[in-house]
Structure formats: C-alpha cells, structure tokens
Amino acid sequence: MNLYAHSPEVAAALDAGRAVVALESTIITHGMPWPRNLQTAQAVEQAVRDAGATPATIAVLDGQLHIGLTGAELERLAQAKGVAKLSRADLAVCLAQGGNGATTVAATMIAAELAGIQVFATGGIGGVHKGAEETFDISADLQELGATRVTVIAAGAKAILDLPKTLEVLETLGVPVIAYGQDDLPAFWSATSGIKAPLRMDTPQQIAAAHRMRARLGLPGGQLVANPIPKDAEISQAQLAPVIAQATVDATELGIKGKAVTPFLLQRIFDLTGGASLEANIALVLNNARLGAAVSVALTAQNAASDAPSPKA
Ligand code: PSU
Ligand code: MN
C-alpha cells in the first residue's frame, strides 16, 4: 500500500501544478455536531473550488492516509463513531494499526508537507490552555508550526486559550504570526482580541512571498496567518468571556484532560451560547478557506514566474 492516496480531484490538480489547499478533519469529527459538520466540510471544499483552488481534506481511513476525500469518504468520516483524534504523536500508530483517524492541525501539516501541499486552511489552532502553568496543556500544533513548512490560515487562537502565552510560545519557536488586514490579533469567534499581532499583511501575495522566502532561507517551520472572522458573524469578547469562564470551570470540575479538553470546551460553549458559537465557527472557517485558496493561487503563480526562464535583455 502506498504511504498515502490522493483523491482523483487532488491527483489531477497536483499533476497539473494547480493550487491546492489542505483541510483538516478533526474539526469534522470532534469540532462540530452531525449533520452540520458534513454540511460545513462540503461548503468549505466548495469555497476553495470557487476561489480557484482544489481542496484536499486529510484523514486516515482503514489505515490509509488520504490526501483529499471523495464525497462518499467525507460522508463516512462525518458520521463515523470512535474516530481517533490524531496529532504528531499518534498518526503513525493509527496508520500502522489500520485504524480510522481525523487529523488535527499538527497531523494535517505533516501530511500536507509530505504530499507537497504548502497551504492549509482551518478554523482555529490549538495553543497554550488557560492554567497551563498547572496542567502543562500546550497543543502539539505549536511545535508543528515551528517544524513543518506549511502556511496555516486560521482565525487566530481560540479564546478558550491563553492568547498571550500562546504568542510567547510561537515567538520562541520562530513562527511568524501574521494578522490579516488588521493590526490586532483575531480571537476566533471575535475579530479582535485587544492584543497587537506581531506581524500584519494585507494581501495573499505578501503571504505567498513570505512563505517562499522562508524556504529560500532554508528555515523549517510554517507561518500562522490569523484571519479575522467577518464582522457580521462575530460574537463579541464581552459576550463570550463569561461563557468561556464557565466552560473552563466545568472542564476542571469534571476532570477533563488531554485530548478531550478542546472538544469538551467547544461543545460546552456551543450549549452555553445556544448554538451561536457554531454559526460563528462555520463563518470563520469558510472565510479562511477563501483566503487559503487565494494564498495558494498566489503561491502557484509566484513559483511559476520564478521557474520560468528569465526574459532576454
Ligand atoms: N478549532 C476548532 N475546532 C477544532 C479544532 C480547532 O474550531 O476541532 C481542533 C483542531 O484540529 C486543532 C485541535 O488542531 O482542535 C487542537 O487540539 P488540542 O488542543 O488537543 O491540541
Ligand atoms: Mn492539549
């Protein structure tokens, strides 16, 4: 068996040198309830296509790493029970044992780099959890951003995380954190956090050029682009703060640990906001898919221009 399998759509795009955008699958299996998870995954793929790129949703099915899923595979994954949540630590184990697994940001980055895909769009990355000084709960996504050469488009770090600590760790790991079109770091469900982002860019071309320059410098690791949720879809920080505080207390009281923390908090916040958090989550993922496609298209154009023989003087 080959290490990974392309869907026909992704195989055709990569063969033709067209723009491709990787998409994760943990958001489908652990991040959103059925059937909105499937509808969102389909809409996100379509948003990438509409913006001129090819979507490659990444997951492990029966021990096979898939780079791009067919419609039927996407449906199967969205309804499957007991799918593992895979990060760097367990991707190989799941493959070796023939299991089913959804890829987090970290595992999706590993698979994307392997398959030659340089741009990846998602909702939010994992980061340093509140209270990490006690729990040591820091997502493997951060280390992956420091190690694997993929540009990740997210809506900033989730407000369930400790944003200042998350920024400090990313700085230590040498990860450029780029706010898109504004100075402020977006905070997932809210467009602003009150924290200034380390870097700012305003066009997909700038993001693509910076990605290429990192490669020319021989730097491992990716870029994190923090794309603010559209204003008409955001939930204000003031409205979310008590909800997040409540969800965090609940997680501690119930002794939720490890991989279960992020899915638990997302579900609890969904309940406490009467489902409003899910609508915002869907809006921001779609927005990130569109920007991811634009960055991938720009990157493909820049790569082609630099490969072309220089015009004779
Ligand atoms: N953001 C969401 N929904 C999600 C996740 C992030 O809105 O489901 C997932 C991503 O796959 C991310 C993971 O990589 O949560 C982080 O999990 P942890 O904090 O356990 O590292
Ligand atoms: Mn964790």
Side-chain angles (χ1 to χ4, degrees):
M1 194 159 72
N2 289 327
L3 180 54
Y4 55 87
H6 292 124
S7 65
E9 184 187 13
V10 170
L14 289 174
D15 277 351
R18 286 198 296 270
V20 176
V21 176
L23 300 167
E24 63 151 306
S25 45
T26 295
I27 190 169
I28 303 173
T29 55
H30 294 71
M32 292 185 184
W34 168 266
R36 299 301 299 281
N37 61 344
L38 176 62
Q39 293 160 1
T40 303
Q42 290 167 336
V44 165
E45 289 201 343
Q46 196 52 44
V48 170
R49 292 188 193 100
D50 292 345
T54 298
T57 301
I58 291 173
V60 177
L61 297 174
D62 304 320
Q64 173 76 72
L65 178 58
H66 286 259
I67 310 292
L69 299 179
T70 63
E73 287 165 346
L74 194 62
E75 230 176 292
R76 177 185 153 196
L77 184 75
Q79 293 181 79
K81 299 268 185 299
V83 178
K85 174 182 164 188
L86 304 177
S87 189
R88 167 172 280 258
D90 28 32
L91 177 61
V93 173
C94 183
L95 289 169
Q97 296 186 342
N100 293 306
T103 52
T104 58
V105 168
T108 305
M109 288 181 76
I110 293 170
E113 188 181 51
L114 196 65
I117 301 170
Q118 294 172 287
V119 181
F120 161 28
T122 182
I125 60 158
V128 181
H129 278 266
K130 292 185 203 288
E133 60 276 21
E134 289 290 326
T135 62
F136 277 50
D137 189 350
I138 302 176
S139 176
D141 292 352
L142 300 184
Q143 280 205 60
E144 207 58 53
L145 279 159
T148 301
R149 208 175 273 161
V150 174
T151 286
V152 179
I153 319 287
K158 266 165 292 195
I160 54 178
L161 302 171
D162 187 318
L163 293 185
K165 288 194 181 74
T166 300
L167 281 181
E168 290 294 346
V169 171
L170 286 167
E171 183 185 67
T172 302
L173 295 170
V175 178
V177 179
I178 302 158
Y180 187 68
Q182 64 182 34
D183 293 327
D184 212 76
L185 182 74
F188 200 69
W189 296 289
S190 317
T192 55
S193 63
I195 301 168
K196 192 173 183 297
L199 296 162
R200 168 183 174 155
M201 289 183 191
D202 295 287
T203 66
Q205 287 74 19
Q206 289 173 336
I207 298 166
H211 178 103
R212 283 163 46 79
M213 190 56 75
R214 284 185 68 85
R216 284 184 71 191
L217 286 169
L219 293 175
Q223 310 189 102
L224 176 62
V225 178
N227 186 28
I229 183 172
K231 275 280 177 197
D232 60 359
E234 81 167 339
I235 308 178
S236 73
Q237 273 204 302
Q239 203 182 329
L240 273 176
V243 170
I244 291 166
Q246 180 66 52
T248 308
V249 167
D250 293 349
T252 309
E253 280 181 357
L254 290 168
I256 310 290
K257 290 206 174 61
K259 282 170 180 289
V261 172
T262 296
F264 174 88
L265 291 173
L266 290 173
Q267 176 64 42
R268 197 73 191 101
I269 291 166
F270 171 86
D271 293 339
L272 291 168
T273 59
S277 66
L278 178 62
E279 302 312 318
N281 200 341
I282 292 169
L284 68 84
V285 180
L286 287 168
N287 192 47
N288 295 341
R290 289 187 284 267
L291 180 58
V295 170
S296 186
V297 168
L299 193 55
T300 305
Q302 289 177 17
N303 287 340
S306 77
D307 287 349
S310 47
K312 297 238 157 57

